[in-house]
Amino acid sequence: QFTDDTQHLEIGLDSLLSNYGEIDLQDHANRLIRWYSSGEARSIGRTTEKAIKNLISGMDYSQSGINNINNCGSLAIARLIPYSLLSAVNRQPYKLTRGDIKRILGVTHAHKKVRSMGELFNYFIQEITNGKNLAETVDMVLFENDFLNRRIRNKLRMVKKVLKSSVNYKKAIEDMGNSGFVEDVAFSSIYGALKGNSFEEAVLISANSGGDSDSRAAYTGALFGLNIGASQIPINLRNELERSSELEKKAKEIYFLKK
């Protein structure tokens, strides 16, 4: 069974499919309201709930997001992933811009730290989809001095350093941060994806390390799965996933929206 992270990924996915690959953030916002009101939300972060209540009160989606350092969860990145995937198989001028990423995330999460992690994940998705592996993508981020900022690049260097050490993975993730703060989730999920020797091992490393384990495992699985391709994910994990055939069908439909 999946958690709210996959529910939010599907909100972004369904909005894209319904609008034939175009970004329609009013539709995106309406889907958030319906999800919240349905009683089917499997969890809901404080920031997401505040933003959805803003939308319900009539606030425009361009103003509904919460811009506060204490409201920097990772849930909005799950909704960004389908947009990044579609962008990755498209050619210019149909690539996501930094402005697009800001607007998509900003429906709920408007702080610059969430935006930076969204840009980082978008970069990973673009590069891996087009032939780079996880480790190569990390090195590319570190090489491009103008991408993001020095502190974020230093955190990626720390991830690389810990990978080469003998530190137990649970201790490593605890040290780098296992809370729901967006940077903790992002860097620990990248660590899990690089640490695991298989899809199952990578996801279990993230799922079994405490804190915001479901979000970390979801993003670790997304990165590792993209890196190896769906055919290399163990068949039992694919077939036994809740609504797996429906999700796979939608994933394929994203590809055929490319321009």
Side-chain angles (χ1 to χ4, degrees):
Q1 185 183 48
F2 51 71
T3 66
D4 58 328
D5 297 275
T6 301
Q7 286 186 312
H8 276 252
L9 183 145
E10 200 168 10
I11 286 170
L13 181 60
D14 287 343
S15 183
L16 267 180
L17 293 175
S18 294
N19 290 284
Y20 306 100
E22 299 297 326
I23 299 173
D24 184 338
L25 294 182
Q26 184 60 62
D27 176 76
H28 190 110
N30 292 342
R31 291 176 187 275
L32 281 166
I33 294 171
R34 289 199 295 271
W35 170 78
Y36 180 75
S37 304
S38 69
E40 296 178 1
R42 294 184 174 173
S43 178
I44 184 163
R46 179 180 57 182
T47 306
T48 303
E49 184 170 30
K50 283 184 177 181
I52 293 175
K53 285 182 176 179
N54 284 341
L55 291 169
I56 291 172
S57 73
M59 190 177 292
D60 188 79
Y61 64 78
S62 64
Q63 303 296 320
S64 56
I66 312 301
N67 188 358
N68 188 301
I69 187 61
N70 296 316
N71 297 94
C72 289
S74 66
L75 199 53
I77 293 176
R79 298 195 311 274
L80 176 68
I81 287 175
Y83 295 89
S84 294
L85 284 169
L86 180 58
S87 172
V89 297
N90 270 326
R91 297 180 179 274
Q92 296 289 4
Y94 299 105
K95 294 285 189 183
L96 278 182
T97 67
R98 282 185 161 181
D100 292 330
I101 293 170
K102 179 181 179 179
R103 292 189 303 118
I104 293 165
L105 297 173
V107 177
T108 53
H109 295 68
H111 197 275
K112 63 183 179 180
K113 288 188 180 293
V114 179
R115 183 165 70 250
S116 291
M117 293 300 96
E119 291 175 357
L120 181 62
F121 265 77
N122 179 67
Y123 189 96
F124 270 85
I125 290 169
Q126 299 290 328
E127 297 303 321
I128 295 170
T129 300
N130 287 286
K132 298 291 190 298
N133 63 35
L134 278 163
E136 289 170 338
T137 303
V138 170
D139 289 338
M140 288 178 66
V141 175
L142 296 178
F143 179 76
E144 293 189 15
N145 290 331
D146 293 333
F147 181 67
L148 297 176
N149 59 52
R150 182 180 299 176
R151 189 178 64 84
I152 290 172
R153 294 198 303 276
N154 285 340
K155 285 201 169 189
L156 277 178
R157 289 190 183 96
M158 179 195 69
V159 170
K160 288 189 66 175
K161 182 178 179 180
V162 173
L163 282 165
K164 295 177 181 178
S165 74
S166 59
V167 176
N168 174 274
Y169 71 82
K170 290 184 180 180
K171 179 68 165 57
I173 289 178
E174 182 180 348
D175 288 347
M176 67 181 67
N178 66 3
S179 76
F181 179 59
V182 65
E183 289 187 0
D184 288 355
V185 174
F187 291 111
S188 61
S189 65
I190 292 169
Y191 167 84
L194 289 164
K195 180 71 173 176
N197 293 312
S198 67
F199 178 85
E200 188 168 10
E201 182 183 15
V203 171
L204 286 174
I205 284 170
S206 284
N208 292 333
S209 295
D212 194 359
S213 56
D214 71 310
S215 296
R216 187 188 317 115
Y219 295 128
T220 293
L223 290 172
F224 200 102
L226 185 63
N227 194 48
I228 62 174
S231 64
Q232 299 303 308
I233 297 174
I235 191 68
N236 63 304
L237 296 180
R238 290 164 55 196
N239 289 348
E240 294 175 17
L241 174 68
E242 174 186 12
R243 293 178 41 232
S244 60
S245 59
E246 182 179 346
L247 289 171
E248 186 172 357
K249 179 177 179 291
K250 289 181 179 181
K252 290 178 178 177
E253 288 173 354
I254 279 287
Y255 178 80
F256 291 108
L257 289 175
K258 70 177 182 178
K259 297 177 174 65

